[in-house]
Amino acid sequence: MAQMETRFRVLRLDEVDSTNLYTRGLAEDGAPDGTVVVARKQTSGKGRLGRQWHSSGDFGLWFSILLRPVFDPKFAGMLGIGAGVAVAQAIRSLVGAEAVLKWPNDVLIDGRKVCGILAEGRTVGRQLEWAVVGIGINVTHPEGGFPPELEGIATALSQHCACDGEGSAPDKDVLLDSVLSEFGARYAMLHEGGARRVRDEAAGLMESFLGRRVTIRGEFGVLEARALDLLEDGTLLVRLDGGETMRITAADVSIGTCARGPGENNA
Ligand code: BTN
């Protein structure tokens, strides 16, 4: 089978409330698969689980990709996971830092979050009509530093870039191209029955997470468990302290038992 290739068309905005919100609007208006919206600043960046994403300045790469996948919607969760793999690989090749993943798709360097991903979608019947994968990468330190609640939790690429000396960071356009090219390859795999391959890559990047004791916060409350495995549909298999196993589809998972409350967050 010829390899599917997605052509990305990039729309650039100076300022927007949220590239995810804007791209969802484009999706409803019929914009095609592969439309990318990138903004220099977001006035109301959205994080997972209703949180805010700190992106009101020009210190990061804030963008969303509109997708119209034609594979089984049971693999929809793999879009965000594939995006996490793409970002981690782009960082590894451009920055040389050992980027890893924490389920579902946080990208960490040295235990701190450098990128968050918010995947949203609309399913009609058995078909995923559209998906929007929003990606926020902290490229440099925000002016004045991260807000106090993110200090020690969030990081930026400039703190890990060995390429042109300490404090430098990859050009944002080069980073965007690299992430899109890495993501395009995983998106093609998902269309070619390769969810297992994407899962294997992601699990490889989650080695420091899988097997660990975790605290899970979700609609069901707070659970203590061990992270057992990443499944092919992107869900996380855990063993609860009571002994039973559970598949987690949407939740906030932290390693260990340390507490973290809701609120503004890019970590
Ligand atoms: C998370 O909570 O970890 C997900 C954060 C996702 C942030 C990105 S920035 C670009 C896109 N637009 C948004 O409003 N959110 C996503």
Side-chain angles (χ1 to χ4, degrees):
M1 189 199 295
Q3 185 170 345
M4 172 191 145
E5 195 190 334
T6 302
R7 294 203 182 284
F8 295 104
R9 282 157 300 269
V10 180
L11 177 63
R12 289 171 191 280
L13 304 175
D14 186 53
E15 187 174 290
V16 70
D17 48 0
S18 149
T19 57
N20 263 43
L21 281 176
Y22 191 93
T23 309
R24 288 175 63 138
L26 295 183
E28 294 295 353
D29 289 347
D33 179 69
T35 303
V36 176
V37 176
V38 55
R40 235 164 42 80
K41 299 176 186 176
Q42 299 187 116
T43 53
S44 189
K46 289 178 2 134
R48 290 180 58 240
L49 307 171
R51 290 196 287 251
Q52 294 173 38
W53 180 259
H54 182 58
S55 50
S56 53
D58 189 16
F59 58 91
L61 178 58
W62 325 125
F63 68 106
S64 301
I65 313 171
L66 166 59
L67 302 164
R68 296 191 182 276
V70 287
F71 52 72
D72 189 331
K74 81 174 182 206
F75 294 117
M78 290 305 291
L79 290 170
I81 304 263
V85 170
V87 172
Q89 296 299 8
I91 291 175
R92 282 170 176 245
S93 60
L94 289 179
V95 178
E98 213 174 287
V100 299
L101 292 182
K102 177 171 80 70
W103 188 89
N105 41 37
D106 288 351
V107 183
L108 313 182
I109 302 176
D110 291 345
R112 294 184 186 194
K113 183 159 162 177
V114 72
C115 165
I117 295 171
L118 174 65
E120 306 179 282
R122 185 223 263 277
T123 307
V124 177
R126 293 268 308 128
Q127 192 57 43
L128 190 55
E129 187 168 291
W130 54 258
V132 169
V133 176
I135 301 179
I137 305 175
N138 300 325
V139 176
T140 55
H141 234 81
E143 215 174 305
F146 286 109
E149 64 275 19
L150 296 180
E151 282 301 341
I153 295 174
T155 191
L157 291 181
S158 56
Q159 291 172 281
H160 306 274
C161 196
C163 28
D164 298 317
E166 208 173 311
S168 67
D171 177 88
K172 284 198 258 175
D173 288 337
V174 175
L175 181 61
L176 177 64
D177 277 356
S178 175
V179 173
L180 290 178
S181 140
E182 296 280 358
F183 179 74
R186 275 77 195 184
Y187 190 48
M189 280 182 208
L190 293 174
H191 278 95
E192 289 153 10
R196 185 81 206 167
R197 281 172 65 198
V198 181
R199 177 265 163 217
D200 288 350
E201 280 191 293
L205 290 163
M206 284 183 193
E207 260 175 14
S208 55
F209 168 77
L210 294 174
R212 299 281 296 273
R213 289 200 44 79
V214 291
T215 303
I216 308 164
R217 292 180 181 78
E219 283 175 346
F220 39 75
V222 181
L223 300 170
E224 304 274 317
R226 188 168 296 279
L228 293 182
D229 200 6
L230 173 67
L231 303 180
E232 214 173 288
D233 61 358
T235 56
L236 179 69
L237 184 69
V238 300
R239 179 175 301 111
L240 302 178
D241 282 357
E244 66 277 39
T245 56
M246 183 175 172
R247 293 167 73 131
I248 308 290
T249 49
D252 200 25
V253 179
S254 45
I255 296 171
T257 52
C258 59
R260 191 180 79 208
E264 179 172 318
N265 204 330
N266 73 351

